[in-house]
């Protein structure tokens, strides 16, 4: 699985730490870190929650080009 640099970029753009995002979507910081590293494939529901947090679509953050 590839690294999710788009998620990391969205966090940076919104000046949000991994912990802040994790708290917002009710997961651990380690889960967010693993998603960004490409070590964890999140559920569709978690993907949707993350997208809502940044007002982005699934395509924007998770679907490969």
């Amino acid at each position: 699985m590839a690294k999710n640099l788009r998620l990391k970029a969205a966090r940076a753009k919104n000046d949000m730490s991994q912990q802040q995002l994790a708290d917002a979507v009710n997961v651990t910081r380690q889960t967010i870190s693993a998603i960004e590293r490409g070590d964890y494939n999140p559920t569709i529901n978690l993907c949707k929650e993350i997208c809502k947090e940044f007002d982005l679509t699934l395509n924007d953050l998770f679907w490969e080009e």
Side-chain angles (χ1 to χ4, degrees):
M1 190 179 328
K3 289 184 180 183
N4 193 326
L5 299 177
R6 290 178 282 178
L7 176 54
K8 190 172 185 174
R11 273 195 318 98
K13 181 179 178 186
N14 288 277
D15 196 30
M16 184 178 271
S17 69
Q18 287 180 342
Q19 186 63 58
Q20 290 169 318
L21 177 57
D23 291 344
V25 297
N26 296 312
V27 297
T28 65
R29 183 204 55 80
Q30 291 85 350
T31 298
I32 300 300
S33 177
I35 294 168
E36 289 182 359
R37 285 191 322 267
D39 293 338
Y40 178 71
N41 189 15
T43 65
I44 190 70
N45 288 332
L46 178 53
C47 290
K48 287 168 36 179
E49 288 299 313
I50 292 170
C51 288
K52 283 182 199 174
E53 197 60 36
F54 296 121
D55 195 30
L56 296 170
T57 67
L58 289 168
N59 287 341
D60 292 334
L61 288 182
F62 294 103
W63 282 194
E64 294 186 24
E65 301 293 321

